[in-house]
Amino acid sequence: QGLRGDLNPPLLTPLRHTGQNLPQRIMQRLQQICGHLKPLDNGSLKKEQAAGQRLPMALREIRHKLHLPLYKMKMMQQGLMGEMEKGLNGEESTVLMLPSYVTRKSVEGKTGEYYALDLGGTNFRVLKLVLKDSQVVDTKAAKYRIPLKHVVGGDADGLFGFIAKSVAKFIKGSSTSSAPLGFTFSFPMKKNSLNSGILVRWTKSFTTAGVVGKDVCALLAEQFKKEGVNMGVTAVLNDTVGTLVTEYFKDDRALLGVIIGTGFNVAYWEKVGNIPKYMRANKEADPDATMCINMECGNFDSPTMRVLKNVYNKYDIEVDAASPNKGLGLTEKLVSGLYMGEIARLALRDLKKAGIIRGLHGKLEEKKGFPAWHLSGCVEEDDSRLSKIEKILKKEYGVESTLFEREAIRKVCEWVVLRSARVAATIIGTVVLKAGFEWDCTVAIDGSVFEKTPNYPKLMYEAFNDLFGDQPYNIRLVLTKDGSGVGAGLSAALMS
């Protein structure tokens, strides 16, 4: 219903053929969702095309490559909806839809001391939280930079041994060294219980050997024992789950936890009865309970590219080919800060070849020669001469620039950011529709891209307006700081 005639019908097949008949209530919900999948407004498209005609040809080509029109967003919505259903049912899917075993409960009366570990990148943190009546009244934290040898080419003993030593140092002299512990492990995990997590695959450039396929809690416990740390993991989770729980302690309408930073992922509350694979494995489970699902949606449509083949361009293909996880995380590579700078660099390199801009002293030809924070600086509010961009180019690259060059660079950076925001909004909007709470929900978001990229939340709201059209919705995007750290401690409190 309401689909463009040129959309590929097989995109609907995951919803029809899941190996069993979908319950009537799901079919009714899908009919409601189809109301959101409207054809592209040709008038809007003509306006976009007219605006593009005023640009030089090289810029027009880049703009076309980076533009994400509404009909492509709708295609992504349909594809993701089908993958979610398959993932929840336990079928092969590009989104894992992993049960976190963290369930929605009352947060009233939580009082005591809780510890948290946060491993989501090359910086590792240890935190101690003091709660009184479910409010965090005191926090102590320490950050440790993981040596590169443990991240790339190292082994499990080295990585988890470093973590255990850091924890031992942090709790030395503490009177409550055996309090409940939450462990944020921000990588794809398969979970069979609340306090076990088997690493499915590394992301974020980690290649540490001997961890994939192993229980990370058991690996940590082994190193804790060696270091004399009398502590066990109460709950292991990823950063999206932690972000959702953090906001849930403040707002019971919190529905999604999202990370938009170095990586991109979503977690959300789902009825246990809507998770067939969990119900089959846990016969006594309450179908009316609510559990947090870790989607691992950064891997959506990877490596199949049934939908993303219509979104990816030559820059995305080059970025993917140069990444350590080629063919995987293809949606994440459209959104996250780890890749936005590279996409902009490759587009700017084409502008140089076309004679639109001069070079940046060879940096456009070097991998990571145009980092994401430079891109972010180029889209900040600026004066009519774009003095901030002029300062970045002179200070960081040692080049003088004309106003025309600065305008061209700004345009490219804006388009990269805009596409990232529209992809993120499409994924989030689809999950909200699936959960059935588009009329009133809070989306908790952590991550440097959402927090520090100018106008990023505004661009996401504009994308929601496009997606929902005249359908009523009330989605609140809330910056939830330190969900990965504090969220681990709060998850331990929630589940202990």
Coordinates of all heavy atoms in Angstrom, one line a residue, residues 1 59 75 90 112 156 173 175 279 395 408 443 448:
Q1 N 0.8 -1.2 0.0 CA 0.0 0.0 0.0 C 0.9 1.2 0.0 O 1.8 1.4 0.8 CB -0.9 0.0 1.3 CG -2.0 -1.0 1.2 CD -2.9 -0.8 2.5 OE1 -2.5 -0.2 3.4 NE2 -4.0 -1.4 2.5
L59 N 30.6 19.8 -8.3 CA 29.8 19.8 -7.0 C 28.5 19.2 -7.2 O 28.0 18.5 -6.2 CB 29.7 21.3 -6.5 CG 30.8 21.8 -5.6 CD1 30.6 23.3 -5.4 CD2 30.8 21.1 -4.3
M75 N 12.8 2.8 1.3 CA 13.4 1.5 0.9 C 14.1 0.9 2.1 O 14.0 -0.3 2.4 CB 14.2 1.6 -0.3 CG 13.5 1.9 -1.6 SD 14.6 2.2 -3.0 CE 15.2 0.6 -3.3
G90 N 14.9 -15.6 15.0 CA 16.0 -16.5 15.0 C 16.5 -16.9 13.7 O 17.3 -17.8 13.6
G112 N 22.6 2.3 47.2 CA 23.8 1.5 47.5 C 24.9 2.0 46.6 O 24.9 3.0 45.9
A156 N 43.9 -12.3 24.2 CA 42.9 -12.1 25.2 C 43.5 -11.9 26.6 O 43.1 -11.0 27.4 CB 42.0 -13.3 25.3
G173 N 42.0 -0.1 48.4 CA 41.7 0.7 49.6 C 40.2 1.0 49.8 O 39.8 1.5 50.8
S175 N 36.3 0.2 50.6 CA 35.7 -0.7 51.6 C 34.6 -1.5 51.0 O 34.0 -2.4 51.7 CB 35.1 0.2 52.8 OG 34.1 1.1 52.2
M279 N 11.6 -16.9 23.4 CA 10.5 -17.7 23.9 C 10.7 -19.1 23.7 O 10.4 -20.0 24.6 CB 9.1 -17.2 23.3 CG 8.7 -15.8 23.6 SD 8.3 -15.7 25.4 CE 6.8 -16.7 25.5
K395 N 45.7 26.9 9.5 CA 46.4 26.4 10.7 C 46.7 24.9 10.6 O 47.8 24.4 10.9 CB 45.5 26.5 12.0 CG 46.2 26.0 13.2 CD 45.2 26.2 14.4 CE 45.9 25.7 15.7 NZ 45.0 25.8 16.9
A408 N 32.9 25.8 -1.3 CA 32.8 24.4 -1.9 C 33.1 23.4 -0.8 O 32.4 22.3 -0.7 CB 33.8 24.3 -3.1
V443 N 14.1 9.2 22.8 CA 15.2 8.4 22.3 C 16.5 9.0 22.9 O 16.8 10.2 22.7 CB 15.3 8.6 20.7 CG1 16.5 7.9 20.2 CG2 14.0 8.1 20.1
S448 N 29.8 11.3 20.1 CA 30.3 12.6 19.7 C 29.7 13.2 18.5 O 29.6 14.4 18.3 CB 31.8 12.5 19.5 OG 32.1 11.5 18.5

